[in-house]
Amino acid sequence: MPTPELIRRAAVSGTDAAAATTLFEVAELRIHEAAWRPKCLLRFIGQPAPTADIALGDIVLAATPNRIAAADPLCLWLSPRDWLVVGRKAPAASAVPADLTAADASDGLTEIRVAGALARTLLACGSSMDFHVVAFAPGQSARTRFARTAAVIACVREHEFVLLFERSVAVYAAEWLERSARMVAALGRQRSTI
Amino acid sequence: MKGRIARGRWVDPAQSVPFRFDGRQLDGIAGDTLASALLASGVRIVARSSKYHRPRGLMAAGVDEPNAYVRLDVGAQTEPNTLATLVELASGMSARSLNAWPNAAHDAGAAADWLAPFVPAGFYYKTFMWPSWRAYEPLIRRATGLGKLPDSEHTARDLAQFAHCDVLVVGAGPAGLAATRACAAAGVRVMLLELKPRCGGMLHWDTRAEDEARARAWIDAQLAALRDCPDATLVTRTVALGYYDHNLVAALESFAPEREPRGEIPRHRLWQIRARQVILATGAFERPLVFPHNDLPGVMLASAAREYLNGYGVAAGERAIVFTNNDSGYLTALDLARAGAKVACVVDPRPEAGAPLADAVRAAGVRIFTDAFIEAARGSRQVEAVDLRRRNNAGGPWREACDAVLVSGGWDPAVHLFAQSGGTLKYDPELAAFLADRHPLGCIVAGSATGTSTLHAAIADGQRAGAEALHRLGRSARAGAVDGLSLTEYPPSAIMPWWTAPDCKQKHRAWVDFHSDVTQADIELAARENYRSVEHLKRYTTLGMSPDQGKTSNVNGLAIAAESLDRPVSEVGTTRFRPPFIPASLAALAEAAQGPLYAPRRLLPATAAHRELGAHTWDYSGWQRPQYYTSNGKDRAEAVKTEYLAVRHRVGLFDSSPLGKIEVAGRDAAELLHRVYINNVRSLKVGSVRYGLMLNEAGIIIDDGVFARLDHEQFLCSPSSAATPRIGAWLEEWRQCEWPDLRVAVIDVTTAWASLTLAGPAARGVLERIGTDIDLASDTFAHMTIREGTVAGVPARVQRVSFSGELQFEVAVAAGYGADLMRAMLDAGRPDGIVPIGIDAWLQLRIDKGFIHVGADTDGMTIPDDVGMAGLYARKPEDFIGRRSLQRPAMVAPGREQLVGLEALDGGDPLPIGACVVAQDFRAPPAEILGRVTSSAFSWALGRPVALARVRDGRKRMGETVRLFDAGRLFTAKICPPVFYDPGGARAHA
């Protein structure tokens, strides 16, 4: 029997994960499931926790909380000892310093992008965080509760956000986003301004 | 007077709006509320009271309305309990009165009023006690119920939104607008909530006609200025439901589909607002006056009559009498008279009224009786006359005909949000009202909520509140930020507290709480029965427990209680206000958490493939997993049997993806696990897998599962599916809090992998056919080992473990390949008759082998020795979590419940799970319980039922016959070892 050819499938759309899929789109709000990118979780296991940035090849593990270190690969600060790198696979144990461990999370997290003038309003429907541009500006990220589940949210541009959900809840999260997006889009912006 | 007598400021007579009430076709006009349209249509009885089914008319015009709750049907949407005063009339709307049959005007339940003498306050504590209150409860609940939920599924959309601001202002009346404007001008983030469709509050209807344009211009100017502030947000049609710690305010915004035709508009938006400062400009509620038959339709708050007149052009009656102890009633009399309505007289218990206002009323042709009061109202289905009397027996009684009695007993500041968030109130004897006092969160109160009584004062107070909020934020207010407004207002005169009519003969007919039918007599009875605490009195009488939460009844009731208890009102105090401020739909509070989004649901990576196979899925700790597969039309029992037998005789494919995958890596990885598992972890060789148990500090089993050594400093732990998040947190807690010196990382990567398990004698052949570079021969890849390589061309980890008792390969690949790998495995296994396996069959297979299911075969008392696993740590010298607890006397004493097998002696049916194990000579309970059946199934491989049980000293009872008692049924079984199938394990090691 010939070896079957397996396709890596996107969590929400079920199609080839190599391509992005639009989940919802109106003029002021666009949601899509991003194309698959490798991801890895890095954890510092030494003592004490680092107080300065750690350079790891082209990756910078920022010491500043809730910041994105770069756009591609997207390196997100998760805790004083944890970073999530989107766009790089986990390096081999021999390639990282002794105080760092790496775990592959490429298929464990699903990346959903929300963009548009109503993106902040939509995000405000799912999390008690403050999404005002002053409080959550481009370059900031947060590990938080969104739509009653865990998420990592990063602001990559003023009106564009990356949301990372555990793959197993990605369909739920996408349905939640679409349902809320329809209402937010219908209400438009007139309801939240004078 | 039926119809309208004046030009309403908010309505457009040119646009007719047809609607139905209690089946009657009626017409309102654009801008009406349902309440104003009913009043304009001459509908006097809009509801029935809950206890006596007394006819009830409109009492108020806003959120304080106690009576007019209706069921509203608009298209496919039904709202069971809606205030008619807040409903914006829409064409085609249909409303029904509640708690009435066939309708409010003619209610069969009205006979309940004859029973009033038998059901006084607290009647349910005194009567209906024999044989049991429960015998009467359903009937009474039906008789006093509110709206009924529709039978159809809830289809409305409900949205929730969080918001943050520097200053939240609740109430967009004159004070709220001024406060918001002051804050917005300073550039802070400010949010303003208004429960009505339009801002301005009393400025719309409490101003004289000549001031109307100026007032409206002022409102428009404030809104226009706010519009220019990017960080100012206004949300109308939004009521603040609750005010909680840390300045969190919950508010409910309502949208009407008939008003908002776009299809995706939600019905409600639940706001959760976190503010640095909160300003409550919530206004005040006018208080009714208590006198016999004051509940007759036609008795209305004076301010409500003014709002209906000025806002909607509707007069409350053709011949009105005003009964007031303050200026408010005079203002209503004046507006009505100037609009051409007949006002028979103003009745005022004060010796004299404020001169300029009273003079204006007299000049409008209205008689004024000072030092007088209404002794009682007269009428049957609506008020027809009142009996008046002079105070101190100085004259009367005499009767005055009327069809409306407009009452004002003073104003109660709306301090509900203030008090429910922990603010204390103080009684102001001059205003005869409870005012806001101290607040733990430093909330600021403004406008008439502070007791101010003029619009001028309200605007000034709003500015003050805004400046104070800014000061607290470290900002300064901009001078002249709020425009001034020049209005013609009469100087206020003092109120005279008036709680009850003197020498009242009909206290049992003098209503205090109109919805719950609480009378003056009820409160006095409670006081006589020594209910001295207002909280007790409230619950005994149900005062203030109706949907309006006592907005119109609370202070009157407390004052009557104070008089009865011979204590000052200030000492009696108020009850604690509680959220929600008005009734809120549970669906609105649930927002997205309805239907398929009720809770986050976890899907398997191969969910699409499972669907293709006809999987019947169920929720297992949040994971939607196949219970069994019915694509071949078999019922559940047949499907489970087919799946079971496939594993025993051929091969089955089980999706084990939710099984935990926690990577433990780092220099001290082995050390951490050695301290957590009861097993020896240090000795585990790279590439090997071991079954282990975890205990808590008390020595109780909290989870089981295998762990594999991938590398010298890298382990893969597989806690049970449901326990994985908990065990991940457990490991992390110990690492962080107790052993921070260990250099180890604990990372849960469960969702990164799809795990598909081939089980059965033909499993090896299927895996070979699908293609793998891993040598699958048993001598190189033995049972309880793990290998890394490729399967079907993609990287994979393959473990040889067995929960089924058969040869088993657990193949883990990146989750994205899960669906395709499952399909490929089924294709490859077709020659062997492979079938997908659901949870049902999987759990039955393990019972054959006596493998425990933690939580089913163990409980909060079970230690390793109870399940025969003390050997796992017998030769481990080091400590582990829970070890010391295992040495406590109770853990080693005889009589512990131990895991055993049970052979059924009665026949072929499985023994009932949960059945009590009792002695063989058992006849009937009570009897000593020796243990319980914990797992049970029919073993098709053995052709007989098998069961696991925990039985006291079970291992010493091997061969003993016992009885099983379950809900009156008796069974007989023999105690045996728990491993029924392949006890030597040859099949798993194949």
Side-chain angles (χ1 to χ4, degrees), chain A residues 1-9 41 43 45-47 81 99 101-105 107-108 121 124-132 135 147-149 166-169 171-172 175-176 179-180 182-187 190-194, chain B residues 157-158 160-162 164 189 223 226-227 231-234 237 253 255 260 262 264-266 269 590-593 597 599-603 623 663 732 740 743-747 749 751-752 769-770 792-794 814-817 820-821 824 828:
Chain A
M1 177 181 169
T3 300
E5 189 176 333
L6 307 188
I7 295 173
R8 187 192 298 268
R9 300 199 176 269
L41 289 161
R43 176 165 293 180
I45 57 175
Q47 288 291 0
R81 293 170 176 277
D99 281 340
T101 63
D104 185 69
D107 282 37
T121 305
C125 296
S127 169
S128 60
M129 272 178 49
D130 188 355
F131 287 103
H132 191 280
R148 298 167 195 257
T149 191
E166 278 201 356
R167 181 188 174 100
S168 60
V169 297
V171 169
Y172 159 83
E175 287 174 2
W176 188 99
R179 174 190 186 275
S180 301
R182 287 187 187 286
M183 288 187 270
V184 166
L187 290 174
Q190 82 279 9
R191 284 286 175 188
S192 54
T193 54
I194 295 167
Chain B
R157 290 167 297 277
D158 300 288
Q161 188 167 332
F162 296 87
H164 295 255
R189 289 169 68 186
L223 294 176
L226 291 175
R227 207 169 287 125
D231 280 331
T233 305
L234 165 66
R237 299 181 173 94
E253 183 180 9
F255 302 91
E260 309 271 5
R262 288 167 297 172
E264 305 290 349
I265 290 284
R269 171 157 51 180
E591 40 101 6
L597 298 179
R601 62 184 198 284
R602 292 183 177 276
L603 298 186
W623 286 94
E663 292 191 358
E732 193 62 39
R743 297 200 168 194
V744 59
V746 177
I747 302 177
V749 292
T751 59
R769 275 201 292 281
I770 204 167
V794 300
Y817 295 116
D820 281 16
L821 179 61

Side-chain angles (χ1 to χ4, degrees), chain B residues 502-723:
Chain B
D503 305 322
C504 181
K505 302 287 191 299
Q506 292 181 291
K507 293 175 179 177
H508 63 288
R509 301 273 94 175
W511 264 260
V512 179
D513 187 318
F514 297 95
H515 191 280
S516 293
D517 278 326
V518 180
T519 65
Q520 179 183 345
D522 289 327
I523 296 169
E524 291 180 356
L525 172 67
R528 282 200 305 278
E529 296 185 4
N530 207 27
Y531 285 90
R532 300 181 69 82
S533 156
V534 288
E535 296 288 359
H536 293 161
L537 183 139
K538 170 183 172 177
R539 284 152 186 80
Y540 191 62
T541 61
T542 69
L543 172 72
M545 290 173 69
S546 47
D548 77 329
Q549 293 270 294
K551 291 183 181 68
T552 52
S553 63
N554 211 333
V555 176
N556 277 336
L558 303 174
I560 293 168
E563 281 183 353
S564 305
L565 294 166
D566 200 20
R567 294 161 66 192
V569 176
S570 57
E571 270 186 29
V572 170
T574 64
T575 52
R576 176 76 179 263
F577 295 105
R578 290 182 174 80
F581 180 63
I582 66 167
S585 142
L586 289 175
L589 300 184
E591 40 101 6
Q594 306 176 38
L597 298 179
Y598 175 71
R601 62 184 198 284
R602 292 183 177 276
L603 298 186
L604 302 169
T607 288
H610 292 298
R611 287 202 185 112
E612 293 160 12
L613 294 163
H616 184 276
T617 56
W618 196 250
D619 185 297
Y620 295 88
S621 301
W623 286 94
Q624 308 302 303
R625 305 183 68 176
Q627 255 184 317
Y628 56 93
Y629 297 81
T630 53
S631 61
N632 51 10
K634 293 177 178 174
D635 66 16
R636 179 175 178 176
E638 282 180 300
V640 173
K641 180 181 178 182
T642 302
E643 294 166 23
Y644 171 100
L645 289 173
V647 174
R648 286 281 177 254
H649 301 307
R650 304 187 306 277
V651 60
L653 177 57
F654 177 70
D655 191 335
S656 51
S657 300
L659 194 65
K661 293 160 202 71
I662 297 177
E663 292 191 358
V664 181
R667 189 189 68 188
D668 298 319
E671 182 59 28
L672 173 72
L673 297 179
H674 195 71
R675 298 179 188 182
V676 173
Y677 281 107
I678 70 172
N679 316 62
N680 192 329
V681 179
R682 291 177 189 160
S683 65
L684 188 68
K685 293 188 176 117
V686 172
S688 290
V689 177
R690 190 165 285 169
Y691 172 82
L693 285 180
M694 285 188 199
L695 314 182
N696 63 17
E697 301 94 320
I700 305 303
I701 297 171
I702 57 170
D703 194 42
D704 70 341
V706 298
F707 53 93
R709 193 164 204 163
L710 300 174
D711 205 341
H712 190 65
E713 294 183 354
Q714 190 181 13
F715 288 80
L716 178 65
C717 301
S718 301
S720 51
S721 305

